[in-house]
Amino acid sequence: MSALFRITLPDGSVREVAPGTTPADVAQAIGPGLRKAAIAARVDGELRDLQRPFEGDANLALLTSKDEADALELARHDYAHVLAEAVQNLFPGTQITFGPATDDGFYYDFAPKDRPFTEEDLPAIEEEMRRVIAQNEPLIREVWTREALIARWREKGETFKAEWAAELPDGEELTVYRAGKAEDAWLDMCRGPHLESTGKLDPQAFKLTRVSGAYWRGDQKNAMLSRIYGTGWLNKKQLDQHLTRLEEAAKRDHRKIGAEMDLFHLQSEAQGSVFWHPKGYIMWRQLEAYMRRRLDAAGYDEVKTPQLMDARQWEQSGHWGKYRENMFVVPDEVPNTEDEGAVISGDADLMALKPMNCPAHVLIFRQGIKSYRDLPIRMAEFGCCHRNEPHGALHGIMRVRQFTQDDAHIFVREDQLVDEVRKFCELLDSVYRDLGFEDYAVKLALRPEKRFGSDAMWDLAEDELRRAVLESGLSDQIKANFEELEGEGAFYAPKLEFHLTDAIGRTWQVGTIQSDRVLPERLDASYVGEDGNRHRPVMLHRAILGTFERFLGILIEHHAGRFPLWLAPVQAVVATIVSDADDYAQQVVEKLKAAGLRVETDLRNEKINYKVREHSLAKVPNLLVVGKREAEEGTVALRRLGSQGQQMLTLDEAVAMLTAEAVAPDLRRN
């Protein structure tokens, strides 16, 4: 008789089972209720199918739908497989490629036989998916040899799958999942795990959302595929809530609101760069002025550095080897102006537009001798940077090629580092609260696999950032939710990330601070210590907003265009009821402008209800309505955006009230 395996459960109890026993068997032995509820297992921490036998002694945790994160990932992975099976049922000859789960659903890439798929195909595919789910076929894990798997794919005309199978590393276990026990059952190459059967999915808890093009393996030199996206959940209630969030997000889309409010536009002549219109640039300037005041008060010195620097500088900093594919490279020569011959010789030295400001700030630090008494040096720059993002990755003003960072670098002594990071966390907290974001999370991104520096250096740097958060004045709730992310640090330093939550529950990673001992070494930055010797400063890379473009996009969507008064591009409109009030309306405007408010007039010969509706759609926060009576009495009828009523005020009262409300939050405290 074979030796029994010892299976340790989360409560510490141990069950001895025979070889061939599965987590499903253990669940059944514990009780039929658990067996019915179990959807997957964690075996020694690895997520596995319920029907995969144990291979030896193991720690076992049985998962149910209450383990929502794991349950959603499993369901979305299954929905992707069901999608692929449904498409091949409806469109014979279609080849399958990859189909991963995503943050809110799944997608699958196909090579159609006859034509690309369109959104008109989605309803029929959804119905076929529901039919596949209703069949409740078991999802069976099988291990194949490389040769057998490649032969299978070639036999079925699956050239993409055959290519991928041939390139998987030697010694890697090649697994497939079969949808049913029949010899000709649909199957796909997959690591898994999966739910036990297609019937475990809720047929009303998914929706196919869109179709796009995608290159095989992400390379534009390869074949164009059809990518079908879907969203998948554990039940219909979750799906409905998600679709409602999507509808709300569509209403708040910064590109839509930006056009409606005439804030900015984008066009193909400048891919990934923003054309800011006057109203949008007013918001930019207000936000920049606010940040500049906050930095001035916090002891930062503002600098300005070149856009274009020699490639040798980027080589020395380490960015050329790690980051070159995202840099715009420029030959250092005068282009040929003759009709014949190459415009650029190809022999010139290379320069690059800066993708970040840090090397230039080190060069400023190196000018002149720095003493330990000079530190910390806080060097800020609203620096315009360029990154060569793929066209397909660009998204409105949220992801662009040209952007301005609210960037700063703090040069500190070792003994100052924790306190300086603590001060930064508290400054950032105050800024976020001023801008309407009290709900945010702090995460520590730890060392990546490929990195500069020793393990001892990384141990120290990670611990310093951790201590700074815990010793800061951040709220107890933020500290309680402090999270650490394995392998997500930059190649030169760990970093703290700050993730905002907006008005409809979406999260955005914006602020960051990184503790860097590598770049000062590579670029030979030093100061004279108290002992008279040269020492390396630690360089803190930090941003609060991230980039102005993206943060303004977040603000647009967070507020749905209804900005706080200090940030609104137009703070009030004075609208007349009758033309007899035109002169008085101009007096009102002049008095409001003299108080520093951004005001427009509406003297058109239109009914007042039409004007109210139009300015409400334009998200004007305050409408001051004046007619003959108001002109005679020196009053205004104030209508607030979103309010049905109005408030009668003297002109002086209205000016005083709006002026007080329009003060930026930092100035209000002073």
Side-chain angles (χ1 to χ4, degrees):
M1 179 178 176
S2 300
L4 298 179
F5 297 154
R6 291 173 56 82
I7 306 302
T8 304
L9 299 173
D11 64 0
S13 63
V14 175
R15 289 178 178 258
E16 294 189 335
V17 302
T21 301
T22 67
D25 296 328
V26 175
Q28 181 65 42
I30 295 172
L34 179 59
R35 174 65 186 93
K36 183 177 180 181
I39 59 171
R42 284 204 176 273
V43 178
D44 291 333
E46 178 188 358
L47 192 61
R48 288 191 175 188
D49 308 311
L50 279 175
Q51 297 292 351
R52 181 174 171 182
F54 296 108
E55 292 140 5
D57 296 346
N59 293 302
L60 170 66
L62 293 162
L63 306 182
T64 70
S65 59
K66 292 181 180 178
D67 300 291
E68 189 167 294
D70 288 322
L72 279 170
E73 185 174 355
L74 287 164
R76 288 164 179 166
H77 200 170
D78 284 11
Y79 280 125
H81 276 236
V82 169
L83 166 61
E85 182 177 355
V87 166
Q88 289 199 309
N89 290 345
L90 291 176
F91 303 95
T94 297
Q95 293 190 58
I96 54 176
T97 63
F98 296 129
T102 64
D103 287 343
D104 62 5
F106 56 95
Y107 69 79
Y108 211 106
D109 289 346
F110 300 95
K113 180 181 178 183
D114 301 317
R115 61 168 177 81
F117 296 128
T118 68
E119 296 194 2
E120 285 70 35
D121 296 316
L122 299 186
I125 296 172
E126 283 185 353
E127 283 307 306
E128 180 62 15
M129 288 177 67
R130 293 190 177 94
R131 190 188 70 79
V132 171
I133 291 170
Q135 287 180 320
N136 196 23
E137 294 284 4
L139 296 170
I140 303 169
R141 180 180 185 270
E142 300 175 353
V143 179
W144 288 41
T145 67
R146 182 186 308 276
E147 293 73 21
L149 189 53
I150 293 172
R152 161 74 184 216
W153 293 137
R154 287 177 177 165
E155 175 194 347
K156 296 294 184 181
E158 299 280 6
T159 59
F160 296 95
K161 285 289 189 184
E163 176 187 325
W164 184 247
E167 294 182 13
L168 288 172
D170 290 337
E172 181 170 325
E173 188 176 60
L174 303 184
T175 56
V176 302
Y177 279 80
R178 184 186 297 276
K181 297 179 180 178
E183 183 65 29
D184 62 348
W186 186 88
L187 59 81
D188 195 3
M189 183 167 60
C190 179
R191 286 194 179 94
H194 283 276
L195 298 172
E196 287 187 271
S197 70
T198 59
K200 297 292 184 181
L201 295 170
D202 184 338
Q204 303 305 319
F206 77 92
K207 182 176 179 57
L208 300 183
T209 54
R210 61 190 175 97
V211 179
S212 73
Y215 292 108
W216 166 237
R217 301 172 79 167
D219 189 336
Q220 61 185 6
K221 298 175 184 176
N222 291 338
M224 173 65 77
L225 308 173
S226 282
R227 176 172 294 178
I228 298 178
Y229 288 91
T231 185
W233 300 85
L234 300 180
N235 52 60
K236 188 175 187 300
K237 180 181 178 181
Q238 288 182 342
L239 173 65
D240 290 342
Q241 289 172 341
H242 175 70
L243 295 177
T244 299
R245 285 194 299 268
L246 288 182
E247 289 175 10
E248 183 62 29
K251 294 176 189 174
R252 293 169 177 263
D253 190 305
H254 70 281
R255 295 164 298 184
K256 174 177 176 288
I257 293 175
E260 291 171 351
M261 297 184 69
D262 193 25
L263 303 178
F264 62 85
H265 83 276
L266 302 122
Q267 63 184 71
S268 59
E269 286 79 359
Q271 283 278 0
S273 298
V274 186
F275 293 82
W276 288 99
H277 297 192
K279 289 179 180 177
Y281 202 56
I282 284 173
M283 293 182 61
W284 178 297
R285 290 172 56 200
Q286 291 300 312
L287 187 60
E288 185 179 57
Y290 165 82
M291 287 304 302
R292 185 169 277 121
R293 290 193 301 270
R294 297 305 308 270
L295 295 182
D296 287 347
Y300 287 79
D301 296 313
E302 189 171 348
V303 299
K304 186 78 172 170
T305 60
Q307 288 282 302
L308 199 60
M309 293 204 302
D310 193 294
R312 286 181 285 264
Q313 178 65 32
W314 298 108
E315 288 174 3
Q316 189 177 352
S317 70
H319 293 90
W320 193 252
K322 297 279 186 179
Y323 210 78
R324 186 171 64 244
E325 65 185 33
N326 294 111
M327 297 171 72
F328 286 100
V329 179
V330 181
D332 187 10
E333 68 175 325
V334 177
N336 174 27
T337 59
E338 303 297 327
D339 291 338
E340 297 182 3
V343 176
I344 301 296
S345 69
D347 298 325
D349 289 337
L350 296 179
M351 303 185 78
L353 287 171
K354 65 176 177 180
M356 53 199 65
N357 300 305
C358 32
H361 289 187
V362 177
L363 297 182
I364 292 178
F365 179 87
R366 286 176 50 189
Q367 296 298 300
I369 298 172
K370 301 296 186 295
S371 162
Y372 70 96
R373 294 189 183 91
D374 298 322
L375 274 56
I377 292 175
R378 305 180 186 97
M379 198 179 298
E381 179 173 10
F382 298 132
C384 181
C385 299
H386 291 78
R387 293 184 186 171
N388 195 356
E389 301 279 5
H391 287 195
L394 302 176
H395 176 66
I397 65 175
M398 299 291 203
R399 189 164 183 181
V400 291
R401 288 174 147 187
Q402 177 184 296
F403 55 89
T404 299
Q405 294 180 308
D406 71 313
D407 203 7
H409 295 91
I410 308 172
F411 298 88
V412 297
R413 304 189 309 263
E414 296 276 352
D415 63 295
Q416 297 172 320
L417 191 150
V418 172
D419 191 54
E420 197 63 31
V421 175
R422 176 190 62 77
K423 290 177 181 176
F424 167 76
C425 291
E426 292 168 357
L427 172 63
L428 172 142
D429 181 78
S430 173
V431 169
Y432 285 178
R433 291 177 188 279
D434 279 353
L435 297 178
F437 296 98
E438 296 192 7
D439 186 6
Y440 68 91
V442 185
K443 303 183 182 186
L444 174 56
L446 304 173
R447 70 197 73 185
E449 185 176 341
K450 295 182 179 179
R451 58 185 182 269
F452 288 144
S454 67
D455 286 348
M457 184 206 78
W458 280 85
D459 289 341
L460 176 63
E462 290 169 353
D463 184 61
E464 287 167 334
L465 295 184
R466 188 181 294 115
R467 285 169 49 209
V469 172
L470 298 177
E471 293 175 15
S472 73
L474 301 183
S475 72
D476 291 341
Q477 180 180 353
I478 288 173
K479 290 180 183 178
N481 293 324
F482 181 47
E483 184 181 352
E484 301 194 0
L485 308 174
E486 295 288 341
E488 296 193 20
F491 67 88
Y492 53 86
K495 61 179 176 176
L496 291 174
E497 298 177 353
F498 299 84
H499 297 249
L500 297 182
T501 300
D502 71 9
I504 59 173
R506 297 170 301 181
T507 57
W508 308 88
Q509 196 262 299
V510 284
T512 184
I513 185 165
Q514 303 172 7
S515 168
D516 181 9
R517 290 170 168 84
V518 173
L519 197 59
E521 181 72 34
R522 292 181 70 92
L523 296 184
D524 194 27
S526 65
Y527 66 91
V528 178
E530 192 171 5
D531 59 4
N533 296 322
R534 290 180 61 200
H535 298 267
R536 298 287 182 212
V538 182
M539 185 176 185
L540 300 176
H541 307 248
R542 48 112 294 179
I544 296 176
L545 306 183
T547 73
F548 277 85
E549 289 80 357
R550 185 164 178 264
F551 201 88
L552 282 165
I554 293 169
L555 281 172
I556 290 169
E557 298 197 359
H558 178 64
H559 293 289
R562 299 184 173 201
F563 304 111
L565 194 58
W566 70 276
L567 199 56
V570 177
Q571 295 171 318
V573 167
V574 180
T576 53
I577 301 173
V578 293
S579 58
D580 290 352
D582 286 0
D583 289 344
Y584 178 61
Q586 293 290 2
Q587 294 174 30
V588 173
V589 167
E590 287 171 11
K591 195 153 190 176
L592 289 167
K593 284 185 174 180
L597 293 162
R598 298 184 288 276
V599 193
E600 294 181 350
T601 53
D602 186 347
L603 308 180
R604 294 173 299 166
N605 185 23
E606 299 283 358
K607 292 183 177 179
I608 190 60
N609 287 342
Y610 175 85
K611 293 181 180 181
V612 169
R613 184 169 59 254
E614 192 171 71
H615 293 301
S616 294
L617 291 173
K619 311 291 193 304
V620 174
N622 297 289
L623 186 64
L624 282 67
V625 178
V626 296
K628 188 173 182 181
R629 176 183 166 189
E630 286 77 15
E632 291 171 352
E633 297 177 355
T635 60
V636 296
L638 175 63
R639 290 174 177 260
R640 304 281 194 175
L641 180 61
S643 172
Q644 297 300 314
Q646 64 182 28
Q647 183 179 7
M648 295 303 300
L649 300 166
T650 68
L651 177 53
D652 287 342
E653 288 172 338
V655 171
M657 179 186 295
L658 295 181
T659 302
E661 292 175 8
V663 175
D666 62 309
L667 298 177
R668 200 172 298 144
R669 289 192 295 269
N670 293 338

